[in-house]
Amino acid sequence: MDTQQNTALTRALAEVPGPLPTSGVIHISLPHTDRFTVVGNHLAQHPHLSCTAVGIAVRIQSLPQGTEVSIKALAARCKEGEKRIAAALRELEAHGYLQRFRHRLPGEKVITRTLFCNQPAALVHPCRPAAEVRPRPAAPAPVGVPAVIPVQAPAPEAAPVAPPVSVPPTTPSAPLFVPRVPPPTAPKASRRPLPQPGELTPELGRAATALLSDLHRHAPQFALSEADVHRLVPGVAAWLERAARPDAIRRALTDDPPLPLKHPAKLLTYRLTELLPPAPPGVDDLAALARPRVTVTPFQTCDDCDRAFRSPTPGHCHDCRETRERRTENLANAA
């Protein structure tokens, strides 16, 4: 028995103008008379938006003004979960289609406002007025067909020209939709390489291998293969070279792992690189740290007037020294 055919679809396919393509999609476009939404190709064919984000954008654009479009409200309307809807909203926010902000009501209540723009590029680059649009040059007439010469109408009488009105220059306004989150397709920063010791001695290699091989005894989810152990040995050796204790290294590598832990070797690589302790200070650095930076002159008590003054050695204050000098000069003059 042959496959049942949809006669209405077959009849509509026969009415498609022009030759049908040999491959690809064939559009049967029927005009909408009610319940339709105009969607631009800049959204439907966006090269950096996922299909979920495009679908959520079309769903929001089709809803009437004032409809709740929070993550939970959209999850109740769609089959996608809250995580996929939240990721799609972040994509739309990054590309300017969506903007969310906090708004405080008169009763001290804070709500979240959501703005959706169906064409954010028009806000950043508005269309020029019709007077500024240059007319396109007329297409050349085909060969053998006489060109049509337009007949110019008589020019009307010149009307009085009003003086030009000076219009103050307008400053370009800031765009309403500014992407705040980089798109998912943005290039990511390259990861730092695994730390390497100054010299991988046999003693450091054996100690690092023993520490990595013994991790599963303290944390069963950190069961490493032999290839992972050999690859992570230089990172652990760099920690040991910086005077890190084995128990401290073990705690830094295995404490509070994500659940479920799918790739323990990748987590260890990240922690060995990002949590690398600083190199221990040398003897000269410790001596400079212990050396006082500012020399404070101590207080002394004057032997004559018992006044306190600053001086490295005990003696007399400034006034008593001047009095003694004047007294010595008077005795010398009297003699």
Side-chain angles (χ1 to χ4, degrees), residues 195-219:
Q196 301 290 328
E199 181 183 359
L200 185 57
T201 60
E203 292 79 8
L204 281 178
R206 286 194 296 269
T209 303
L211 191 146
L212 289 171
S213 303
D214 192 58
L215 281 182
H216 70 279
R217 299 181 182 273
H218 303 272

Side-chain angles (χ1 to χ4, degrees), residues 39-106:
V39 179
N41 284 339
H42 56 85
L43 174 62
Q45 302 177 5
H46 202 289
H48 303 301
L49 285 178
S50 63
C51 293
T52 303
V54 174
I56 294 295
V58 174
R59 174 61 66 92
I60 295 176
Q61 191 172 342
S62 66
L63 295 176
Q65 193 93 319
T67 305
E68 180 69 24
V69 289
S70 62
I71 297 177
K72 293 186 178 295
L74 291 174
R77 293 172 176 267
C78 309
K79 293 184 178 181
E80 287 77 9
E82 294 185 3
K83 291 185 177 180
R84 293 189 63 184
I85 292 177
L89 293 180
R90 287 194 295 269
E91 290 185 48
L92 295 175
E93 192 171 4
H95 289 85
Y97 288 93
L98 187 75
Q99 184 176 3
R100 293 173 287 190
F101 61 93
R102 297 282 186 176
H103 179 68
R104 186 179 297 277
L105 297 178

